[in-house]
Amino acid sequence: MSGDTTGGAARRTKPERKPIDRRAFLRTSLIGSVSAGLGGFALGALGFLWPRQGDGLFGEVALGDARELAERILGERRPVLVPEAAISIIAWDPSDGQASSAYGSQHAVVTDTAGLMCIDTGACPHLGCAVPWCQTSQWFECPCHGSRYNKYGEWTGGPAPRGLDRYVSFVDGEGQLVVDLSSPITGPARTANALEQAREGPSCIDA
Ligand code: FES
């Protein structure tokens, strides 16, 4: 990855905010990932009956070092789940003109070729089920009625009316990824396809 980007909403200096404790964050992320994998179907089917996981967090929340997060997500080829906020952090490519034009003004830019987006995977835009990540297909797949979304949370199929909703995010002066949970963004229209990502392997919900 190359040098820092300084334009647009990529970097801002923000007033003091309370970060999530790093060890607690990593621990809960791991537990959340395993839980999502094992119980995705059952939890998804009941998702709309339970309060949202992120209901206790508001405003700007620091999620960790932006460069480390980007390296981890790109290296492991999976998003980082943040159960406390009911979001998944995904990596996107600001050097791609289509992606930059669609997402560059509202999502974090870490380097010229690595950005981060905070996708709302706690509530499918169809009927509100949680939407787990599927490592084999490299898509988000909703177990309730089969809506699917690519790595950027763009709609690829199923009854959902749009892509996954998301939140404004940016990199602060200390290099932290900050999500603004008070600034939700309605998911992209069904026609949005900045990533043009085909399914990369077997689905997790067709088996
Ligand atoms: S709630 Fe996700 S497809 Fe229906």
Side-chain angles (χ1 to χ4, degrees):
M1 290 183 282
S2 53
D4 290 344
T5 297
T6 56
R11 286 186 177 275
R12 287 195 260 156
T13 300
K14 285 283 167 182
E16 186 180 338
R17 64 181 73 81
K18 189 171 185 296
I20 289 179
D21 175 77
R22 178 181 171 79
R23 292 177 65 182
F25 170 59
L26 292 174
R27 185 170 57 247
T28 51
S29 291
L30 179 61
I31 292 170
S33 298
V34 172
S35 299
L38 293 177
F41 184 84
L43 289 176
L46 294 172
F48 61 92
L49 298 176
W50 295 86
R52 294 281 316 281
Q53 283 181 301
D55 284 351
L57 282 180
F58 299 99
E60 293 183 356
V61 179
L63 298 174
D65 184 89
R67 280 179 179 269
E68 289 180 8
L69 282 166
E71 283 167 14
R72 175 178 164 190
I73 294 163
L74 290 167
E76 296 180 3
R77 303 191 75 234
R78 66 169 71 240
V80 169
L81 179 67
V82 186
E84 301 93 330
I87 60 172
S88 295
I89 307 170
I90 64 98
W92 66 285
D93 182 3
S95 70
D96 178 274
Q98 258 193 289
S100 183
S101 136
Y103 304 116
S105 64
Q106 293 177 304
H107 300 283
V109 176
V110 184
T111 70
D112 292 342
T113 55
L116 296 169
M117 262 192 259
C118 295
I119 306 284
D120 181 354
T121 45
C124 178
H126 181 223
L127 289 176
C129 291
V131 187
W133 172 251
C134 177
Q135 185 67 11
T136 49
S137 69
Q138 291 283 300
W139 280 1
F140 294 98
E141 299 181 357
C142 182
C144 288
H145 313 101
S147 288
R148 298 154 204 267
Y149 311 88
N150 68 21
K151 208 177 291 185
Y152 288 2
E154 296 169 327
W155 178 89
T156 57
R162 62 178 185 274
L164 292 168
D165 296 337
R166 58 232 29 232
Y167 294 93
V168 168
S169 64
F170 57 91
V171 179
D172 73 6
E174 285 76 51
Q176 292 279 307
L177 172 67
V178 178
V179 60
D180 186 354
L181 296 172
S182 63
S183 299
I185 303 166
T186 301
R190 276 187 170 196
T191 50
N193 191 18
L195 186 57
E196 298 181 1
Q197 176 207 13
R199 196 171 76 181
E200 297 181 20
S203 163
C204 294
I205 58 176
D206 287 344

